[in-house]
Amino acid sequence: MWSPTEEEKYGVVICSFRGTVPQGLVLELGETVQILEKCEGWYRGVSIKKPSVKGIFPANYIHLKKAIVSNRGQYETVVPLEDSVVTEVTATLQEWAVLWKQLYVKHKVDLFYKLRHVMNELIDLRRQLLSGHLTQDQVREVKRHLTVRLDWGNEHLGLDLVPRKDFEVVDSDQISVSDLYKMHLSSRHSVQQSTSQVDTIRQRHGEACRMPVPHHFFLSLKSFTYNTIGEDTDVFFSLYDVREGKQISERFMVRLNKNGGPRNPEKIDRMCALFTDLSSKDMKRDLYIVAHVIRIGRMLLNDSKKGPPHLHYRRPYGCAVLSIMDVLQSISEIKEEKDFVLKVYTCNNENEWCQIHENIIRKSSTKYTAPSSNYGLIISLQLLRGDMEQIRRENPMIFNRGVSVTRKLGFPDVIMPGDIRNDLYLTLEKGDFERGGKSVQKNIEVTMYVLYADGEILKDCISLGSGEPSRSAYHSFVLYHNNSPRWGEIIKLPIPIDRFRGSHLRFEFRHCSTKDKGEKKLFGFAFTPLMRDDGTTLSDDIHELYVYKCDENSTFNNHALYLGLPCCKEDYNGCPNIPSSLIFQRSTKETFSVSTQLSSTKLTQNVDLLALLKWKAYPDRVMDILGRLRHVSGEEIVKFLQDILDTLFVVLDDNTEKYGLLVFQSLVFIINLLRDSKYFHFRPVMDTYIQKHFAGALAYKELIRCLKWYMDRSAELVRQDHIQEAMRALEYLFKFIVQSRILYSRATCGMEEEQFRSSIQELFQSIRFVLSLDSRSSETLIFTQASQPGGQASGAGTGAPQKCGGTTRPTFNSAALLNSFPAIFDELLQMFTVQEVAEFVRGTLGSMPSTVHIGQSMDVVKLQSIARTVDSRLFSFSESRRILLPVVLHHIHLHLRQQKELLICSGILSSIFSIIKTSSLEGDVVEEVEMMVESLLDVLLQTLLTIMSKSQSQEAVRGQRCPQCTAEITGEYVSCLLSLLRQMSDTHFQHLLDNFQSKDELKEFLLKIFCVFRNLMKMSVFPRDWMVMRLLTSNIIVTTVQYLSSALHKNFTETDFDFKVWNSYFSLAVLFINQPSLQLENATPPKRKKILDKYGDMRVMMAYELFSMWQNLGEHKIHFIPGMIGPFLGVTLVPQPEVRNIMIPIFHDMMDWEQRKNGNFKQVEAELIDKLDSLVSEGKGDENYRELFSLLTQLFGPYPSLLEKIEQETWRETGISFVTSVTRLMERLLDYRDCMKGDETENKKIGCTVNLMNFYKSEINKEEMYIRYIHKLCDMHLQAENYTEAAFTLLLYCELLQWEDRPLREFLHYPSQSEWQRKEGLCRKIIHYFNKGKSWEFGIPLCRELAIQYESLYDYQSLSWIRKMEATYYDNIMEQQRLEPEFFRVGFYGRKFPFFLRNKEYVCRGHDYERLEAFQQRMLSEFPQAIAMQHPNHPDDSILQCDAQYLQIYAVTPIPDNIDVLQMDRVPDRIKSFYRVNNIRKFRYDRPFHKGPKDKENEFKSLWIERTTLTLTHSLPGISRWFEVERRELVEVSPLENAIQVVENKNQELRTLISQYQHKQMHGNINLLSMCLNGVIDAAVNGGIARYQEAFFDKDYITKHPGDAEKITQLKELMQEQVHVLGVGLAVHEKFVHPEMRPLHKKLIDQFQMMRSSLYHELPGLDKLSPACSGSSTPRSNVLVSHGPMSPESIKLVHRHSPLNLLGSVRHSSSSLSSHTSSETGNLVILTDSSVGETAEDMYHMQASPSTSSLSSTHSAPSQMINSAPSSARDKYPPLSGR
């Protein structure tokens, strides 16, 4: 029994089910199903893919998932209860899978593989997300990766952009349009950046974006390859700034043994450091990584005698540098370490050791020595970004390796609270020491100790560098023989804070002897305390210390002995009376310098700060101490922030009257200090202080008093820096005030509440006073500016006007106040109700000047303040919004009216709409929306119109704003307008329309809003892939239009009809329906379903609206004829049946109305045809459209009976004939459209265009359309390089023009000019194209026509030019070689061909060198579906009517019209050749067949020819390379007539050839004549002519065919003539023959004799014919005399590819001829010996292929090759392809 399921509602198919059971549902693996019922292990339900088909399937094939079921029952909907990102990934992968396969088919291989990789990644990430084992951070990270990949794929596949918030797809119904727009922008940005949304949002909102991001360098020493030191080494790495010439970081120290490995084995692979806290500014500095190498060993490396082996000294060895600028690019791009090799250079002079790194960087190569190539430090570098916490989190591996954190000297840009640090950096600078009576200079080593007050040496307080533990003593490196050493070595002293006071440093100087004992002799010392008596530490400076003499016997046990002495000059000045009898005497000539730098969060070097903290010790100096706080550095203040604040409030409590103002100023100074980005992180410290540590319960009174005092002084033109600072500090001052009041209330149980409230009220009065000053001062400012010399406003444009020598500050004060003002709302809300605070704020904002003359920067500040107010928590309360909205809207309205600060205004508006949308989901916002409609709607429309017109004009591009900004502003305002319209309900629209005072106002409003909507659709404000945004926009527009159309109908239809408004409405409706985003036919099925479910088909909604409005027009419809025909037609071309059915009756209506008015509908007709053409050409319309249009014929039936029947009948007939012709036009247009749209070949496109062009000319007689298509066709020909055809095409337009001065308007690309000028330009262009197509004969008549015109105008310059052109063409004809094209007949059979080809036959002019096989191949590739027919017979009906494509192709022979030229003997063949293949309208095709019994001995007796003559519609060449066959004629040629034609053609060919040699038109090479003679004589000898003799001179034949007597005589005469011609040919041959060819000539003479003798019996008198044949050589004149001139009477030409000529065509495969010669030899037609073994009929089915001879050379092969092939081999022919 089937029962409805309760829990099992949704599942995924885990195994495909074939549905083999009754009512089984076919399911594929991975499909999702909705389950309705269950029964014993089976489910009944639907697949989500095909929800209409229900069926059953096994339960164990389904993996169940949790789901939410709504509307339980028959129409329930199920939504899976899973992470929305997972759902999106699933759906997207299913969509991509289809497109991914298509990529492979379309050969987009690169994207195919990339997408496959991304899809695999998505599947893997989805699996991780579903596993449920991730932490929250990991889930965020996985979702980020998923969304980045989804967006990347969607963009590359051309799919829609998905707007998201926190990685999840947003529901457009839940957010305002403005927010949706921003989300689209941010999604687009994240796609482009491939970075996470979170980062971009974080950077756009909130203060965090002001935080600079620190950079860190991770450095790891891989190895130190060297082979010459052989001692232990210390390597010190540091960062060095070249420009400032100083080290900027601590040193990182690595200790290596003599083999180059770490001295401590645990350090292997752990020699790494992290140089931290580099700011962006640091990254732009010229930084270097510097490595100093110090060896530890003997005094001199190469001298074992110097110094005993047991004593080790620190000695300088070498230095290496690496420019960070050079490697920054490469290490920024990759996320892992990158290796670098640093060469270690050694110092040439040890005295310059402290500068070695500078010398290497400066490339002062004389001062250092380069190493050998295998010598250096191998380090790896990596750049990391972010704070240390983030670095630790993201790179745990680095910290697992025991990385040494190496800090900057001094504090970073951002000092983090809680960052406790107490480091003193000491640099050993230099020393100057005496020789001490020695001949050589000393080797000086400095030893340093840190000693506590009691003389104890402090342990582990000296660090040479990070990476190694601290030590108790420091030994400097030793410079050999140098009494003035320069060290420059930095040492860090991490001394505990409690040991700092009273500690001092002692430096001991020793001379290191290199003698045998190698003693280190003490000769002096110096010292310095770390803290002065006043409690400040050693200042950051160079300290020159006194050197005191001593020796090894001196004892330092009693440090008091020397601490009483002065350590330096300043100290000496402090204690003048020092006894001279002390143990230690100062060495006055010796000095020693160190420099120090303190980085401490606990100690200060600042006297003023110490004085403040200990103020009670100096009661009389308190005023001065407070005043000096300003001069203390920010670092010092933030280090002691809490202590300072406590002190200030204690001082305030001590004497409010006396110190109040000074404490207030100090507090303001500290608050403003925390605004600096360097200390910005200390704001939370300040907040914590106020919340937890602040205890000044009475402070609020004084703070309010001081603040009010400052505000009231704003008008006084004194120095007002303090006032501005106080304004800037407003937020924290209020925090102190409120917290103080809370503390006071707690302590006193809420006493003095009224006084507090009134003091706040008064304070707000003062705030308003400050702001109101602006409007007053701006008037005086304008006056003063104008009155300055030259009228130049000194502060113009800066917002900082000058006045009377002093600076006017009210503007600046207001700016500072407005900036801080919104930050105090939250504080006020702690003490006051929402309404009260809102009233305060309203009063304050209301007191701001409304004028927009207050200077641009002030304007910006004002708006920014309003923006922050709108973004504040206060504005989120509906009670406060009702109070604040009017004043906010008032200011925005003013700015929009003036078109000022549009970007800020749009930001404010989008925030308001966002808040109102959120509120509307929870409560009622009718009142607020009403306010916004009244204040904003009109001005928003006006603003949008202005912005749109700017962005459309060029000024926007050239002006100040970039086009991108214009687009951004447009987008912002469009989204604001849409947000507002979307929030409007029926009542809002009703109020809006009722509030218009007059119809003119309403009309203006309607025009504006329609115009904005139209521009929205025209300009594509939102990119194509913003589908969600575009659909929502369309939905809002259609809803708004529905509200407004009733107003339009009501107010502007009857007497008040207004064409402009109605036209605007119709244009909008048409544009709306045609929007690309609404054409659902192009969308994928899931996308279409989604859109239809959410919005329905909005085109249908708008079409119904349009139709009802049209019906409402009544008699005013006539105003829209013919104007709206085109637009409405565009709507009917939308492939949506319902839209079409709604629109078609409108055309009937239009024709009806025009018929009523004009008695015809010519206007409708003309406009309809024009628009149809342009719309279909653009790619609209389809096959169904043609059928739909014929519905109009049915619409003429039900016609109004009011009109008389005859009128009705007439109108009906004309209507039907018009619709029929339009339908026929549609056929052609759609063919044309399909050809143009598809990847069709040029031939198809050209054919289609010719067809359409002729239709316009002959059937519809639309001259303008005809001319347009002439130019389209010409362009296509030019693209295909058919220059002759392009010329003929343009000639059609040229022939329409006359040589007159009639002015012509601008048309296509022609300017406005006279008809004469246009015709002349066309003629020149046509002549140029004929020249490019080598059809000079066609160009010459045009040259003459132009010449006549120029001559009549006495334009001799042009005349000269055209005559020269004509002369050039004659030269070209004679000199340039042209190929004779082949001609092919093509039949297109079957209904699958385009309309213009269907069941028609054409003759096509082939391309150069194109033979039948190539042409056939080309046609089959153009029609890949077509089947080639293998016989030349005409097809029957079954083929003509079938749904397929059949091609029938064979070669045809041209029949030239101009026969006269071809018969003239002396006309060169180059000229004749043109007339043989041009201006041809008739073509011939011969098919051989046998009639009657077939004689096996001699088949020629019964061989008939079926000759088909095809006549074309136009001559070739013409406007196309092919024309349709107009007429075909069939005749049968008898065997005898055939023989006559064959012999006659051969005679003509021989005569032409011989004549060319006689007239010396053919030079040098006799090969052609040799081959021709050989072919005829040899064939005749082998039985060619003999076969004719046998067949037709036989007595039986003559008796049976008495009617053929005349023809037999003719054949005999022709044979005699052939012998005669051959004789002349041999005579010419003998004259020109090469000596090497003599044997061939002799052979020809011999064979000729045989031929004569074989014909002798049949043709008496033959032996008298040719004296040349006897072997004696006759001079040429005699030959001509004896034979007389050659008569051309019976010349008729057969083309070489006629099947007739195929018969004896011999392939001279060994010859190498030019194309021309090849074609001549192809005609060796006749008289082959039938013993060759091929029947005559077979020969007819074969085709000569002259293309087998090489066409590149005019030289012939050597004579011995000519006859090398046996005649049987030479007589083989390839079969005819068309068969």
Side-chain angles (χ1 to χ4, degrees), residues 1154-1343:
E1154 198 189 346
Q1155 180 74 28
R1156 287 189 206 179
K1157 187 185 173 195
N1158 302 335
N1160 62 38
F1161 42 82
K1162 286 283 180 240
Q1163 271 187 308
V1164 175
E1165 191 175 336
E1167 190 67 23
L1168 202 55
I1169 286 169
D1170 270 8
K1171 290 300 172 193
L1172 257 180
D1173 182 274
S1174 61
L1175 288 166
V1176 177
S1177 305
E1178 286 166 17
K1180 296 182 177 163
D1182 56 21
E1183 281 295 330
N1184 304 338
Y1185 187 64
R1186 180 169 58 222
E1187 292 157 22
L1188 183 84
F1189 217 86
S1190 56
L1191 283 177
L1192 269 178
T1193 45
Q1194 298 154 26
L1195 288 170
F1196 298 129
Y1199 200 71
S1201 54
L1202 301 167
L1203 293 170
E1204 288 176 27
K1205 199 170 181 208
I1206 293 168
E1207 278 182 350
Q1208 173 189 345
E1209 207 56 43
T1210 322
W1211 143 225
R1212 194 161 181 273
E1213 278 174 21
T1214 50
I1216 289 173
S1217 74
F1218 160 63
V1219 170
T1220 312
S1221 76
V1222 166
T1223 311
R1224 294 187 59 214
L1225 171 63
M1226 278 296 298
E1227 286 176 340
R1228 285 159 176 75
L1229 279 173
L1230 290 169
D1231 278 347
Y1232 174 77
R1233 195 276 310 272
D1234 293 340
C1235 277
M1236 293 302 157
K1237 191 170 67 174
D1239 301 332
E1240 296 293 359
T1241 49
E1242 288 305 318
N1243 264 344
K1244 259 194 197 174
K1245 291 180 178 176
I1246 289 167
C1248 217
T1249 311
V1250 170
N1251 178 46
L1252 189 53
M1253 189 174 87
N1254 290 337
F1255 184 81
Y1256 276 125
K1257 184 186 180 187
S1258 53
E1259 298 205 27
I1260 304 187
N1261 198 20
K1262 298 271 294 178
E1263 189 176 273
E1264 191 175 304
M1265 302 301 289
Y1266 172 60
I1267 295 167
R1268 275 179 200 281
Y1269 278 94
I1270 285 176
H1271 286 84
K1272 285 184 182 180
L1273 181 59
C1274 177
D1275 291 344
M1276 281 182 217
H1277 280 312
L1278 293 176
Q1279 209 172 345
E1281 297 185 1
N1282 300 335
Y1283 295 110
T1284 304
E1285 285 75 11
F1288 275 119
T1289 306
L1290 271 190
L1291 202 53
L1292 293 175
Y1293 181 34
C1294 190
E1295 285 165 356
L1296 294 174
L1297 301 171
Q1298 305 299 321
W1299 294 107
E1300 292 173 6
D1301 282 332
R1302 187 166 61 94
L1304 296 180
R1305 65 183 173 84
E1306 195 178 320
F1307 177 59
L1308 298 174
H1309 54 272
Y1310 299 106
S1312 51
Q1313 57 193 150
S1314 73
E1315 194 171 357
W1316 194 97
Q1317 285 171 321
R1318 190 168 293 177
K1319 189 170 172 88
E1320 181 215 15
L1322 275 168
C1323 283
R1324 286 186 167 212
K1325 195 180 273 190
I1326 294 164
I1327 290 168
H1328 171 63
Y1329 291 154
F1330 275 136
N1331 179 30
K1332 287 187 84 170
K1334 296 189 177 181
S1335 299
W1336 299 293
E1337 287 85 348
F1338 293 128
I1340 288 167
L1342 280 173
C1343 290

Side-chain angles (χ1 to χ4, degrees), residues 446-464:
V446 182
T447 310
M448 180 184 78
Y449 301 98
V450 183
L451 296 97
Y452 192 46
D454 59 4
E456 173 202 348
I457 292 175
L458 291 178
K459 297 273 189 287
D460 305 331
C461 282
I462 299 171
S463 167
L464 267 64

Side-chain angles (χ1 to χ4, degrees), residues 1694-1708:
V1694 175
H1695 187 265
R1696 61 180 177 279
H1697 269 210
S1698 162
L1700 262 178
N1701 297 351
L1702 302 178
L1703 240 121
S1705 176
V1706 179
R1707 272 200 194 178
H1708 294 281

Side-chain angles (χ1 to χ4, degrees), residues 704-705 707-709 711-712 754-769 840:
I704 292 174
R705 189 183 68 77
L707 191 54
K708 187 172 182 334
W709 184 85
M711 289 188 181
D712 295 343
E754 279 310 310
Q755 290 93 316
F756 171 70
R757 282 176 169 272
S758 61
S759 64
I760 292 287
Q761 294 275 13
E762 286 166 18
L763 185 57
F764 269 93
Q765 289 294 340
S766 300
I767 289 175
R768 284 172 207 155
F769 168 69
F840 285 149

Side-chain angles (χ1 to χ4, degrees), residues 704-950:
I704 292 174
R705 189 183 68 77
C706 292
L707 191 54
K708 187 172 182 334
W709 184 85
Y710 271 124
M711 289 188 181
D712 295 343
R713 297 291 170 283
S714 283
E716 295 172 12
L717 294 174
V718 293
R719 183 177 154 74
Q720 296 199 342
D721 293 352
H722 293 317
I723 299 178
Q724 281 168 50
E725 284 177 9
M727 304 293 184
R728 287 196 193 100
L730 205 58
E731 178 187 356
Y732 273 95
L733 287 173
F734 262 88
K735 283 187 175 182
F736 278 115
I737 290 169
V738 169
Q739 185 63 20
S740 172
R741 173 63 203 169
I742 288 170
L743 291 173
Y744 187 82
S745 286
R746 275 191 207 145
T748 62
C749 301
M751 280 171 63
E752 301 183 23
E753 183 67 27
E754 279 310 310
Q755 290 93 316
F756 171 70
R757 282 176 169 272
S758 61
S759 64
I760 292 287
Q761 294 275 13
E762 286 166 18
L763 185 57
F764 269 93
Q765 289 294 340
S766 300
I767 289 175
R768 284 172 207 155
F769 168 69
V770 173
L771 293 176
S772 66
L773 279 175
D774 263 345
S775 47
R776 291 181 234 162
S777 62
S778 59
E779 290 160 24
T780 53
L781 292 174
I782 290 160
F783 174 76
T784 31
Q785 284 171 4
S787 61
Q788 284 175 8
Q792 176 61 46
S794 59
T798 63
Q802 305 297 311
K803 181 177 175 182
C804 313
T807 327
T808 37
R809 295 290 178 171
T811 305
F812 287 157
N813 295 342
S814 303
L817 175 60
L818 286 172
N819 270 326
S820 312
F821 181 64
I824 69 173
F825 302 163
D826 280 352
E827 307 312 317
L828 290 171
L829 284 170
Q830 292 186 52
M831 306 301 295
F832 298 92
T833 64
V834 171
Q835 284 94 334
E836 285 173 325
V837 177
E839 288 294 349
F840 285 149
V841 176
R842 178 171 68 175
T844 309
L845 295 179
S847 64
M848 287 195 298
S850 298
T851 53
V852 193
H853 326 299
I854 53 174
Q856 189 193 358
S857 61
M858 191 57 214
D859 242 8
V860 172
V861 171
K862 185 172 82 175
L863 287 171
Q864 282 172 343
S865 184
I866 291 175
R868 308 240 308 272
T869 303
V870 168
D871 287 335
S872 69
R873 190 164 68 95
L874 177 68
F875 203 77
S876 63
F877 299 107
S878 57
E879 309 95 283
S880 64
R881 269 203 309 278
R882 292 198 185 103
I883 297 168
L884 293 174
L885 253 181
V887 68
V888 169
L889 295 176
H890 168 69
H891 283 290
I892 291 176
H893 182 93
L894 283 173
H895 279 82
L896 294 187
R897 276 262 174 266
Q898 304 273 338
Q899 295 289 299
K900 294 273 179 70
E901 301 310 327
L902 293 179
L903 209 52
I904 305 177
C905 289
S906 70
I908 298 170
L909 286 175
S910 60
S911 295
I912 295 174
F913 287 123
S914 178
I915 291 163
I916 284 184
K917 176 66 189 172
T918 314
S919 306
S920 70
L921 300 173
E922 297 157 7
D924 180 22
V925 290
V926 175
E927 195 182 324
E928 291 155 51
V929 175
E930 186 68 50
M931 276 188 235
M932 296 186 76
V933 173
E934 278 176 30
S935 176
L936 288 178
L937 185 56
D938 192 56
V939 77
L940 267 179
L941 290 171
Q942 192 54 54
T943 305
L944 266 170
L945 285 173
T946 314
I947 297 170
M948 285 169 166
S949 65
K950 266 188 198 166

Side-chain angles (χ1 to χ4, degrees), residues 1339 1529 1576 1708:
E1529 295 168 6
V1576 179
H1708 294 281

Side-chain angles (χ1 to χ4, degrees), residues 385-400:
R385 294 185 182 87
D387 58 45
M388 279 304 282
E389 271 309 303
Q390 188 183 341
I391 299 293
R392 280 179 195 278
R393 203 169 52 243
E394 290 175 2
N395 306 279
M397 291 304 291
I398 288 178
F399 289 90
N400 293 346

